[in-house]
Amino acid sequence: KIIILFGFNEFQNIYKNQLFFNSPVVTPLQSLIGNNKILKNIKNMSRIKEINRELKCESPEFEVTKLINYLNSFSRMVKLLGGDLQLYFQPTLELSVKKCFGKETQYQKQNMSEMRDFIKKIKNGLSKDAHFIDLSSSFDNIQHQIFVDQVHLGCKGNRIISRIIIESLNEK
C-alpha cells in the first residue's frame, strides 16, 4: 500500500499561488527537482519570492484537474503493480469545528470555502482505484489542544491520525 497524506500545501499552491517545496503531490516543478533539493541552491527568501512570481499557474480549476489526473494516473500505475493507493486529506485547524485550546486559540479561523471546494473536487474526481479519506473532522470532538499551529499536529494529534490510518488500512 502506498499512503499519501496531503492537503494544505497543495491547496496553497493551487488557490493562493504560493510554492511550497515540501508539498508531496502538486507541481511538476517539484517532481523534477525533488522535495527540498532546490532549497539548497537558494541563498535567501527573496529568491523564493522571485520563483513564486515566475510560476505560471493556470486557473485553480485547471490546476485541480491536473492534480486529479496525476493522482488517478499514479493510482492506476500502483494498481497495475499490484498495489493500492490510499489518499488522506490532512486535518487542519481551519476546517475543524473543534473548540480551540491552548495555542490553538491564537489563530483566527478563516473562511475556508475554497478549501472545502478543493476537497470536494478531489474526492469527486478520483477514480475508484484511489481510496480517499478526508481527515478534516478527525478532531471535532476532542476537548484539548491537538494542533501546534493551523496545520501541524502535536504528539496527541499525530497518535490519533496514526490510529485512524491504521484502522482504515486494516479495513481494506
Side-chain angles (χ1 to χ4, degrees):
K1 294 189 188 256
I2 294 178
I3 298 171
I4 298 176
L5 180 64
F6 73 107
F8 181 77
N9 289 350
E10 288 74 24
F11 170 76
Q12 289 291 90
N13 282 339
I14 291 173
Y15 283 88
K16 305 301 181 193
N17 203 19
Q18 295 175 352
L19 182 61
F20 279 79
F21 293 97
N22 62 345
S23 171
V25 289
V26 154
T27 61
L29 173 65
Q30 288 171 238
S31 63
L32 292 173
I33 61 173
N35 291 343
N36 294 323
K37 288 182 184 174
I38 199 169
L39 290 178
K40 294 175 185 171
N41 298 320
I42 297 174
K43 301 290 186 242
N44 58 46
M45 291 304 287
S46 65
R47 181 67 182 123
I48 293 174
K49 289 177 186 172
E50 185 180 320
I51 289 171
N52 274 333
R53 282 193 300 275
E54 292 169 4
L55 255 174
K56 292 188 173 56
C57 197
E58 299 288 337
S59 70
E61 293 76 24
F62 180 82
E63 295 296 330
V64 169
T65 300
K66 215 164 52 171
L67 173 62
I68 291 167
N69 290 338
Y70 170 76
L71 291 170
N72 283 332
S73 296
F74 187 65
S75 179
R76 281 192 297 279
M77 186 173 55
V78 169
K79 191 80 159 177
L80 285 171
L81 294 171
D84 192 23
L85 180 63
Q86 305 286 319
L87 300 167
Y88 296 89
F89 194 86
Q90 81 180 83
T92 65
L93 184 59
E94 299 287 336
L95 289 178
S96 179
V97 297
K98 80 178 285 305
K99 184 178 178 192
C100 293
F101 295 89
K103 284 185 177 182
E104 295 171 343
T105 60
Q106 297 172 5
Y107 301 100
Q108 297 288 325
K109 291 200 175 188
Q110 306 294 318
N111 177 355
M112 296 307 292
S113 59
E114 282 182 331
M115 190 178 285
R116 291 183 208 295
D117 185 50
F118 175 65
I119 295 168
K120 184 178 176 184
K121 285 178 181 177
I122 290 173
K123 186 175 184 177
N124 292 337
L126 288 174
S127 69
K128 62 183 176 188
D129 293 334
H131 303 284
F132 179 81
I133 296 175
D134 180 4
L135 299 172
S136 297
S137 61
S138 300
F139 306 117
D140 288 354
N141 298 317
I142 304 292
Q143 298 296 310
H144 54 270
Q145 181 182 330
I146 294 293
F147 293 91
V148 294
D149 62 25
Q150 292 162 306
V151 296
H152 297 104
L153 303 172
C155 292
K156 291 176 187 175
N158 284 324
R159 275 194 296 276
I160 292 168
I161 291 300
S162 296
R163 278 191 228 119
I164 292 170
I165 290 173
I166 289 168
E167 287 171 14
S168 74
L169 292 172
N170 287 334
E171 290 174 5
K172 308 255 181 241

